Amino acid sequence: MTYLYELLKQLISSLLLSVDSVVQNFGISIIIATIIVRIILLPLTLKQDKSMKAMKKIQPELEALKEKYGNDKQLLNQKTMELYQKHKVNPAGGCLPLIIQLPILFALFGVLRGGIIPEDSKFLWLELTKPDPFYIFPLLNGAVSFFQQKLMGNSDNPQMKNMMYMFPIMMIFISYKMPGGLQLYWLTSSLTAVLQQYFIMKKGD
């Protein structure tokens, strides 16, 4: 696993440096490399979305099974598996693409954290090796995170509604001391994810 992670980091480092050799601005290089990685991961995102929609579609039937067989756990599990087979739904189908994506995104994060950013790199007002002095990027990250939660349509669930407000605050708190390069990556990745989710939902409609 460590070998795979290091290999991913090497590949992403090469991508970043290759892009930077062309654009000659490390901030723009981070943006482009992050978008490229997100595009590469798009098929997995689509697969995850498809699986989640399939699970959502059979949710009423799952609830009915719980009411009917709730007192017999073994029978409930059996009927649940039969329902999955009937609708050709894999309950782990929504998790697997995410599990595959995370090491790649963590590797990109690790590369940026590992000192690849030149000391004198700047993007707009940001010094990419130092935190945002005006806290604009952490606030933007929090705002995008809130919008992302809203877009996913979880606001009807009381617990998820609380998370919708708590998670962006956590994002701001976590990211405000991060180097500007990491904040730029985080914002680009989140914005790309929001755009992808928007178009996936629009296509579904």
Side-chain angles (χ1 to χ4, degrees), residues 172-201:
I172 294 169
F173 182 76
I174 290 168
S175 67
Y176 86 101
K177 284 188 176 180
M178 283 183 179
L182 288 177
Q183 293 183 18
L184 181 59
Y185 151 71
W186 206 325
L187 181 62
T188 305
S189 184
S190 297
L191 279 172
T192 308
V194 165
L195 287 171
Q196 286 179 344
Q197 187 64 30
Y198 173 77
F199 285 112
I200 288 169
M201 290 173 67

PDB file of all heavy atoms in Angstrom, residues 172-201:
ATOM      1  N   ILE A 172     -12.957  25.509   7.418  1.00  0.00           N
ATOM      2  CA  ILE A 172     -12.294  26.803   7.620  1.00  0.00           C
ATOM      3  C   ILE A 172     -11.238  26.682   8.713  1.00  0.00           C
ATOM      4  O   ILE A 172     -10.103  27.151   8.562  1.00  0.00           O
ATOM      5  CB  ILE A 172     -13.330  27.888   7.987  1.00  0.00           C
ATOM      6  CG1 ILE A 172     -14.269  28.147   6.801  1.00  0.00           C
ATOM      7  CG2 ILE A 172     -12.635  29.192   8.389  1.00  0.00           C
ATOM      8  CD1 ILE A 172     -15.477  29.006   7.147  1.00  0.00           C
ATOM      9  N   PHE A 173     -11.610  26.029   9.799  1.00  0.00           N
ATOM     10  CA  PHE A 173     -10.709  25.882  10.938  1.00  0.00           C
ATOM     11  C   PHE A 173      -9.473  25.056  10.565  1.00  0.00           C
ATOM     12  O   PHE A 173      -8.351  25.373  10.950  1.00  0.00           O
ATOM     13  CB  PHE A 173     -11.450  25.225  12.106  1.00  0.00           C
ATOM     14  CG  PHE A 173     -10.613  25.078  13.344  1.00  0.00           C
ATOM     15  CD1 PHE A 173     -10.346  26.174  14.151  1.00  0.00           C
ATOM     16  CD2 PHE A 173     -10.083  23.847  13.691  1.00  0.00           C
ATOM     17  CE1 PHE A 173      -9.566  26.045  15.297  1.00  0.00           C
ATOM     18  CE2 PHE A 173      -9.299  23.698  14.834  1.00  0.00           C
ATOM     19  CZ  PHE A 173      -9.040  24.810  15.634  1.00  0.00           C
ATOM     20  N   ILE A 174      -9.697  23.984   9.786  1.00  0.00           N
ATOM     21  CA  ILE A 174      -8.593  23.103   9.394  1.00  0.00           C
ATOM     22  C   ILE A 174      -7.659  23.794   8.404  1.00  0.00           C
ATOM     23  O   ILE A 174      -6.435  23.654   8.474  1.00  0.00           O
ATOM     24  CB  ILE A 174      -9.141  21.792   8.773  1.00  0.00           C
ATOM     25  CG1 ILE A 174      -9.817  20.937   9.850  1.00  0.00           C
ATOM     26  CG2 ILE A 174      -8.030  20.986   8.100  1.00  0.00           C
ATOM     27  CD1 ILE A 174     -10.619  19.780   9.298  1.00  0.00           C
ATOM     28  N   SER A 175      -8.236  24.559   7.479  1.00  0.00           N
ATOM     29  CA  SER A 175      -7.439  25.051   6.350  1.00  0.00           C
ATOM     30  C   SER A 175      -6.800  26.423   6.559  1.00  0.00           C
ATOM     31  O   SER A 175      -5.916  26.798   5.794  1.00  0.00           O
ATOM     32  CB  SER A 175      -8.308  25.093   5.082  1.00  0.00           C
ATOM     33  OG  SER A 175      -9.321  26.075   5.193  1.00  0.00           O
ATOM     34  N   TYR A 176      -7.202  27.160   7.595  1.00  0.00           N
ATOM     35  CA  TYR A 176      -6.733  28.547   7.653  1.00  0.00           C
ATOM     36  C   TYR A 176      -5.232  28.667   7.907  1.00  0.00           C
ATOM     37  O   TYR A 176      -4.617  29.689   7.585  1.00  0.00           O
ATOM     38  CB  TYR A 176      -7.540  29.351   8.690  1.00  0.00           C
ATOM     39  CG  TYR A 176      -7.050  29.269  10.117  1.00  0.00           C
ATOM     40  CD1 TYR A 176      -6.291  30.301  10.674  1.00  0.00           C
ATOM     41  CD2 TYR A 176      -7.352  28.170  10.918  1.00  0.00           C
ATOM     42  CE1 TYR A 176      -5.855  30.235  11.988  1.00  0.00           C
ATOM     43  CE2 TYR A 176      -6.920  28.103  12.229  1.00  0.00           C
ATOM     44  CZ  TYR A 176      -6.173  29.130  12.761  1.00  0.00           C
ATOM     45  OH  TYR A 176      -5.733  29.065  14.062  1.00  0.00           O
ATOM     46  N   LYS A 177      -4.624  27.622   8.462  1.00  0.00           N
ATOM     47  CA  LYS A 177      -3.176  27.649   8.684  1.00  0.00           C
ATOM     48  C   LYS A 177      -2.398  26.902   7.601  1.00  0.00           C
ATOM     49  O   LYS A 177      -1.176  26.839   7.648  1.00  0.00           O
ATOM     50  CB  LYS A 177      -2.841  27.054  10.055  1.00  0.00           C
ATOM     51  CG  LYS A 177      -3.135  27.996  11.215  1.00  0.00           C
ATOM     52  CD  LYS A 177      -2.595  27.439  12.522  1.00  0.00           C
ATOM     53  CE  LYS A 177      -2.804  28.431  13.659  1.00  0.00           C
ATOM     54  NZ  LYS A 177      -2.280  27.923  14.947  1.00  0.00           N
ATOM     55  N   MET A 178      -3.113  26.345   6.649  1.00  0.00           N
ATOM     56  CA  MET A 178      -2.446  25.607   5.575  1.00  0.00           C
ATOM     57  C   MET A 178      -1.686  26.555   4.649  1.00  0.00           C
ATOM     58  O   MET A 178      -2.108  27.697   4.443  1.00  0.00           O
ATOM     59  CB  MET A 178      -3.483  24.845   4.731  1.00  0.00           C
ATOM     60  CG  MET A 178      -4.008  23.586   5.352  1.00  0.00           C
ATOM     61  SD  MET A 178      -5.138  22.780   4.187  1.00  0.00           S
ATOM     62  CE  MET A 178      -5.567  21.332   5.133  1.00  0.00           C
ATOM     63  N   PRO A 179      -0.600  26.067   4.052  1.00  0.00           N
ATOM     64  CA  PRO A 179       0.063  26.864   3.014  1.00  0.00           C
ATOM     65  C   PRO A 179      -0.896  27.178   1.870  1.00  0.00           C
ATOM     66  O   PRO A 179      -1.812  26.395   1.584  1.00  0.00           O
ATOM     67  CB  PRO A 179       1.197  25.947   2.539  1.00  0.00           C
ATOM     68  CG  PRO A 179       1.430  25.001   3.662  1.00  0.00           C
ATOM     69  CD  PRO A 179       0.096  24.807   4.320  1.00  0.00           C
ATOM     70  N   GLY A 180      -0.672  28.307   1.231  1.00  0.00           N
ATOM     71  CA  GLY A 180      -1.563  28.753   0.166  1.00  0.00           C
ATOM     72  C   GLY A 180      -1.732  27.737  -0.953  1.00  0.00           C
ATOM     73  O   GLY A 180      -2.815  27.614  -1.529  1.00  0.00           O
ATOM     74  N   GLY A 181      -0.671  26.994  -1.259  1.00  0.00           N
ATOM     75  CA  GLY A 181      -0.752  25.996  -2.322  1.00  0.00           C
ATOM     76  C   GLY A 181      -1.759  24.903  -2.008  1.00  0.00           C
ATOM     77  O   GLY A 181      -2.518  24.466  -2.882  1.00  0.00           O
ATOM     78  N   LEU A 182      -1.787  24.475  -0.749  1.00  0.00           N
ATOM     79  CA  LEU A 182      -2.753  23.456  -0.334  1.00  0.00           C
ATOM     80  C   LEU A 182      -4.173  24.016  -0.341  1.00  0.00           C
ATOM     81  O   LEU A 182      -5.125  23.331  -0.715  1.00  0.00           O
ATOM     82  CB  LEU A 182      -2.405  22.934   1.060  1.00  0.00           C
ATOM     83  CG  LEU A 182      -1.170  22.037   1.165  1.00  0.00           C
ATOM     84  CD1 LEU A 182      -0.905  21.669   2.617  1.00  0.00           C
ATOM     85  CD2 LEU A 182      -1.353  20.771   0.345  1.00  0.00           C
ATOM     86  N   GLN A 183      -4.306  25.267   0.083  1.00  0.00           N
ATOM     87  CA  GLN A 183      -5.625  25.896   0.066  1.00  0.00           C
ATOM     88  C   GLN A 183      -6.138  26.028  -1.370  1.00  0.00           C
ATOM     89  O   GLN A 183      -7.328  25.817  -1.638  1.00  0.00           O
ATOM     90  CB  GLN A 183      -5.555  27.269   0.734  1.00  0.00           C
ATOM     91  CG  GLN A 183      -5.270  27.205   2.230  1.00  0.00           C
ATOM     92  CD  GLN A 183      -5.278  28.570   2.886  1.00  0.00           C
ATOM     93  OE1 GLN A 183      -5.798  29.532   2.342  1.00  0.00           O
ATOM     94  NE2 GLN A 183      -4.691  28.667   4.069  1.00  0.00           N
ATOM     95  N   LEU A 184      -5.237  26.372  -2.272  1.00  0.00           N
ATOM     96  CA  LEU A 184      -5.604  26.499  -3.684  1.00  0.00           C
ATOM     97  C   LEU A 184      -6.024  25.147  -4.258  1.00  0.00           C
ATOM     98  O   LEU A 184      -7.017  25.047  -4.988  1.00  0.00           O
ATOM     99  CB  LEU A 184      -4.422  27.069  -4.472  1.00  0.00           C
ATOM    100  CG  LEU A 184      -4.631  27.289  -5.972  1.00  0.00           C
ATOM    101  CD1 LEU A 184      -5.784  28.251  -6.228  1.00  0.00           C
ATOM    102  CD2 LEU A 184      -3.345  27.817  -6.609  1.00  0.00           C
ATOM    103  N   TYR A 185      -5.271  24.114  -3.908  1.00  0.00           N
ATOM    104  CA  TYR A 185      -5.633  22.758  -4.345  1.00  0.00           C
ATOM    105  C   TYR A 185      -7.010  22.372  -3.812  1.00  0.00           C
ATOM    106  O   TYR A 185      -7.866  21.869  -4.550  1.00  0.00           O
ATOM    107  CB  TYR A 185      -4.587  21.749  -3.855  1.00  0.00           C
ATOM    108  CG  TYR A 185      -5.159  20.365  -3.627  1.00  0.00           C
ATOM    109  CD1 TYR A 185      -5.548  19.569  -4.702  1.00  0.00           C
ATOM    110  CD2 TYR A 185      -5.357  19.880  -2.333  1.00  0.00           C
ATOM    111  CE1 TYR A 185      -6.105  18.314  -4.486  1.00  0.00           C
ATOM    112  CE2 TYR A 185      -5.900  18.628  -2.113  1.00  0.00           C
ATOM    113  CZ  TYR A 185      -6.278  17.851  -3.190  1.00  0.00           C
ATOM    114  OH  TYR A 185      -6.834  16.619  -2.977  1.00  0.00           O
ATOM    115  N   TRP A 186      -7.223  22.600  -2.531  1.00  0.00           N
ATOM    116  CA  TRP A 186      -8.472  22.208  -1.885  1.00  0.00           C
ATOM    117  C   TRP A 186      -9.663  22.909  -2.534  1.00  0.00           C
ATOM    118  O   TRP A 186     -10.695  22.302  -2.819  1.00  0.00           O
ATOM    119  CB  TRP A 186      -8.402  22.547  -0.393  1.00  0.00           C
ATOM    120  CG  TRP A 186      -9.283  21.694   0.474  1.00  0.00           C
ATOM    121  CD1 TRP A 186     -10.520  21.188   0.151  1.00  0.00           C
ATOM    122  CD2 TRP A 186      -9.004  21.236   1.795  1.00  0.00           C
ATOM    123  NE1 TRP A 186     -11.020  20.458   1.196  1.00  0.00           N
ATOM    124  CE2 TRP A 186     -10.116  20.467   2.222  1.00  0.00           C
ATOM    125  CE3 TRP A 186      -7.941  21.411   2.673  1.00  0.00           C
ATOM    126  CZ2 TRP A 186     -10.189  19.878   3.480  1.00  0.00           C
ATOM    127  CZ3 TRP A 186      -8.009  20.821   3.927  1.00  0.00           C
ATOM    128  CH2 TRP A 186      -9.112  20.064   4.316  1.00  0.00           C
ATOM    129  N   LEU A 187      -9.489  24.215  -2.779  1.00  0.00           N
ATOM    130  CA  LEU A 187     -10.572  24.987  -3.392  1.00  0.00           C
ATOM    131  C   LEU A 187     -10.846  24.511  -4.819  1.00  0.00           C
ATOM    132  O   LEU A 187     -12.004  24.334  -5.212  1.00  0.00           O
ATOM    133  CB  LEU A 187     -10.219  26.475  -3.392  1.00  0.00           C
ATOM    134  CG  LEU A 187     -11.284  27.418  -3.979  1.00  0.00           C
ATOM    135  CD1 LEU A 187     -12.578  27.345  -3.173  1.00  0.00           C
ATOM    136  CD2 LEU A 187     -10.769  28.855  -4.020  1.00  0.00           C
ATOM    137  N   THR A 188      -9.790  24.289  -5.584  1.00  0.00           N
ATOM    138  CA  THR A 188      -9.951  23.826  -6.969  1.00  0.00           C
ATOM    139  C   THR A 188     -10.625  22.464  -7.012  1.00  0.00           C
ATOM    140  O   THR A 188     -11.544  22.229  -7.808  1.00  0.00           O
ATOM    141  CB  THR A 188      -8.581  23.741  -7.671  1.00  0.00           C
ATOM    142  OG1 THR A 188      -7.920  25.003  -7.587  1.00  0.00           O
ATOM    143  CG2 THR A 188      -8.743  23.363  -9.135  1.00  0.00           C
ATOM    144  N   SER A 189     -10.177  21.570  -6.141  1.00  0.00           N
ATOM    145  CA  SER A 189     -10.747  20.229  -6.095  1.00  0.00           C
ATOM    146  C   SER A 189     -12.230  20.273  -5.716  1.00  0.00           C
ATOM    147  O   SER A 189     -13.060  19.593  -6.327  1.00  0.00           O
ATOM    148  CB  SER A 189      -9.968  19.373  -5.085  1.00  0.00           C
ATOM    149  OG  SER A 189     -10.444  18.050  -5.077  1.00  0.00           O
ATOM    150  N   SER A 190     -12.557  21.096  -4.730  1.00  0.00           N
ATOM    151  CA  SER A 190     -13.950  21.201  -4.275  1.00  0.00           C
ATOM    152  C   SER A 190     -14.834  21.821  -5.351  1.00  0.00           C
ATOM    153  O   SER A 190     -15.953  21.351  -5.593  1.00  0.00           O
ATOM    154  CB  SER A 190     -14.029  22.042  -2.993  1.00  0.00           C
ATOM    155  OG  SER A 190     -13.316  21.426  -1.949  1.00  0.00           O
ATOM    156  N   LEU A 191     -14.335  22.874  -5.993  1.00  0.00           N
ATOM    157  CA  LEU A 191     -15.112  23.524  -7.055  1.00  0.00           C
ATOM    158  C   LEU A 191     -15.349  22.572  -8.224  1.00  0.00           C
ATOM    159  O   LEU A 191     -16.450  22.519  -8.782  1.00  0.00           O
ATOM    160  CB  LEU A 191     -14.386  24.784  -7.551  1.00  0.00           C
ATOM    161  CG  LEU A 191     -14.548  26.045  -6.707  1.00  0.00           C
ATOM    162  CD1 LEU A 191     -13.628  27.147  -7.218  1.00  0.00           C
ATOM    163  CD2 LEU A 191     -15.998  26.531  -6.719  1.00  0.00           C
ATOM    164  N   THR A 192     -14.311  21.821  -8.581  1.00  0.00           N
ATOM    165  CA  THR A 192     -14.452  20.852  -9.674  1.00  0.00           C
ATOM    166  C   THR A 192     -15.466  19.780  -9.305  1.00  0.00           C
ATOM    167  O   THR A 192     -16.300  19.385 -10.134  1.00  0.00           O
ATOM    168  CB  THR A 192     -13.092  20.194  -9.993  1.00  0.00           C
ATOM    169  OG1 THR A 192     -12.112  21.211 -10.204  1.00  0.00           O
ATOM    170  CG2 THR A 192     -13.182  19.340 -11.247  1.00  0.00           C
ATOM    171  N   ALA A 193     -15.418  19.329  -8.058  1.00  0.00           N
ATOM    172  CA  ALA A 193     -16.369  18.315  -7.592  1.00  0.00           C
ATOM    173  C   ALA A 193     -17.801  18.853  -7.627  1.00  0.00           C
ATOM    174  O   ALA A 193     -18.735  18.143  -8.015  1.00  0.00           O
ATOM    175  CB  ALA A 193     -16.007  17.869  -6.174  1.00  0.00           C
ATOM    176  N   VAL A 194     -17.969  20.117  -7.238  1.00  0.00           N
ATOM    177  CA  VAL A 194     -19.300  20.738  -7.259  1.00  0.00           C
ATOM    178  C   VAL A 194     -19.825  20.826  -8.691  1.00  0.00           C
ATOM    179  O   VAL A 194     -20.992  20.501  -8.963  1.00  0.00           O
ATOM    180  CB  VAL A 194     -19.256  22.144  -6.612  1.00  0.00           C
ATOM    181  CG1 VAL A 194     -20.511  22.937  -6.952  1.00  0.00           C
ATOM    182  CG2 VAL A 194     -19.117  22.031  -5.105  1.00  0.00           C
ATOM    183  N   LEU A 195     -18.973  21.257  -9.606  1.00  0.00           N
ATOM    184  CA  LEU A 195     -19.384  21.365 -11.011  1.00  0.00           C
ATOM    185  C   LEU A 195     -19.741  19.999 -11.586  1.00  0.00           C
ATOM    186  O   LEU A 195     -20.745  19.849 -12.295  1.00  0.00           O
ATOM    187  CB  LEU A 195     -18.267  22.011 -11.840  1.00  0.00           C
ATOM    188  CG  LEU A 195     -18.068  23.513 -11.636  1.00  0.00           C
ATOM    189  CD1 LEU A 195     -16.804  23.991 -12.345  1.00  0.00           C
ATOM    190  CD2 LEU A 195     -19.275  24.293 -12.152  1.00  0.00           C
ATOM    191  N   GLN A 196     -18.925  19.007 -11.266  1.00  0.00           N
ATOM    192  CA  GLN A 196     -19.217  17.654 -11.735  1.00  0.00           C
ATOM    193  C   GLN A 196     -20.555  17.172 -11.189  1.00  0.00           C
ATOM    194  O   GLN A 196     -21.377  16.617 -11.925  1.00  0.00           O
ATOM    195  CB  GLN A 196     -18.097  16.696 -11.313  1.00  0.00           C
ATOM    196  CG  GLN A 196     -16.814  16.866 -12.107  1.00  0.00           C
ATOM    197  CD  GLN A 196     -15.717  15.924 -11.640  1.00  0.00           C
ATOM    198  OE1 GLN A 196     -15.780  15.343 -10.559  1.00  0.00           O
ATOM    199  NE2 GLN A 196     -14.689  15.778 -12.447  1.00  0.00           N
ATOM    200  N   GLN A 197     -20.780  17.398  -9.897  1.00  0.00           N
ATOM    201  CA  GLN A 197     -22.025  16.965  -9.269  1.00  0.00           C
ATOM    202  C   GLN A 197     -23.225  17.682  -9.873  1.00  0.00           C
ATOM    203  O   GLN A 197     -24.278  17.081 -10.101  1.00  0.00           O
ATOM    204  CB  GLN A 197     -21.961  17.227  -7.759  1.00  0.00           C
ATOM    205  CG  GLN A 197     -23.142  16.674  -6.968  1.00  0.00           C
ATOM    206  CD  GLN A 197     -23.225  15.160  -7.017  1.00  0.00           C
ATOM    207  OE1 GLN A 197     -22.209  14.485  -7.128  1.00  0.00           O
ATOM    208  NE2 GLN A 197     -24.430  14.627  -6.951  1.00  0.00           N
ATOM    209  N   TYR A 198     -23.057  18.961 -10.154  1.00  0.00           N
ATOM    210  CA  TYR A 198     -24.146  19.752 -10.745  1.00  0.00           C
ATOM    211  C   TYR A 198     -24.545  19.185 -12.107  1.00  0.00           C
ATOM    212  O   TYR A 198     -25.729  18.983 -12.387  1.00  0.00           O
ATOM    213  CB  TYR A 198     -23.707  21.213 -10.882  1.00  0.00           C
ATOM    214  CG  TYR A 198     -24.707  22.069 -11.635  1.00  0.00           C
ATOM    215  CD1 TYR A 198     -25.881  22.510 -11.022  1.00  0.00           C
ATOM    216  CD2 TYR A 198     -24.477  22.422 -12.961  1.00  0.00           C
ATOM    217  CE1 TYR A 198     -26.800  23.284 -11.716  1.00  0.00           C
ATOM    218  CE2 TYR A 198     -25.391  23.195 -13.661  1.00  0.00           C
ATOM    219  CZ  TYR A 198     -26.550  23.622 -13.041  1.00  0.00           C
ATOM    220  OH  TYR A 198     -27.458  24.380 -13.740  1.00  0.00           O
ATOM    221  N   PHE A 199     -23.551  18.915 -12.942  1.00  0.00           N
ATOM    222  CA  PHE A 199     -23.855  18.410 -14.283  1.00  0.00           C
ATOM    223  C   PHE A 199     -24.369  16.974 -14.247  1.00  0.00           C
ATOM    224  O   PHE A 199     -25.204  16.587 -15.064  1.00  0.00           O
ATOM    225  CB  PHE A 199     -22.623  18.525 -15.184  1.00  0.00           C
ATOM    226  CG  PHE A 199     -22.348  19.927 -15.644  1.00  0.00           C
ATOM    227  CD1 PHE A 199     -21.230  20.614 -15.203  1.00  0.00           C
ATOM    228  CD2 PHE A 199     -23.229  20.576 -16.499  1.00  0.00           C
ATOM    229  CE1 PHE A 199     -20.986  21.921 -15.615  1.00  0.00           C
ATOM    230  CE2 PHE A 199     -22.997  21.879 -16.917  1.00  0.00           C
ATOM    231  CZ  PHE A 199     -21.873  22.553 -16.477  1.00  0.00           C
ATOM    232  N   ILE A 200     -23.888  16.189 -13.284  1.00  0.00           N
ATOM    233  CA  ILE A 200     -24.409  14.822 -13.117  1.00  0.00           C
ATOM    234  C   ILE A 200     -25.891  14.873 -12.735  1.00  0.00           C
ATOM    235  O   ILE A 200     -26.720  14.144 -13.287  1.00  0.00           O
ATOM    236  CB  ILE A 200     -23.602  14.054 -12.045  1.00  0.00           C
ATOM    237  CG1 ILE A 200     -22.206  13.704 -12.570  1.00  0.00           C
ATOM    238  CG2 ILE A 200     -24.329  12.773 -11.634  1.00  0.00           C
ATOM    239  CD1 ILE A 200     -21.259  13.180 -11.503  1.00  0.00           C
ATOM    240  N   MET A 201     -26.214  15.764 -11.797  1.00  0.00           N
ATOM    241  CA  MET A 201     -27.605  15.902 -11.363  1.00  0.00           C
ATOM    242  C   MET A 201     -28.478  16.454 -12.484  1.00  0.00           C
ATOM    243  O   MET A 201     -29.616  16.023 -12.676  1.00  0.00           O
ATOM    244  CB  MET A 201     -27.674  16.820 -10.138  1.00  0.00           C
ATOM    245  CG  MET A 201     -27.079  16.208  -8.883  1.00  0.00           C
ATOM    246  SD  MET A 201     -26.999  17.369  -7.501  1.00  0.00           S
ATOM    247  CE  MET A 201     -28.745  17.610  -7.164  1.00  0.00           C
TER     248      MET A 201
END
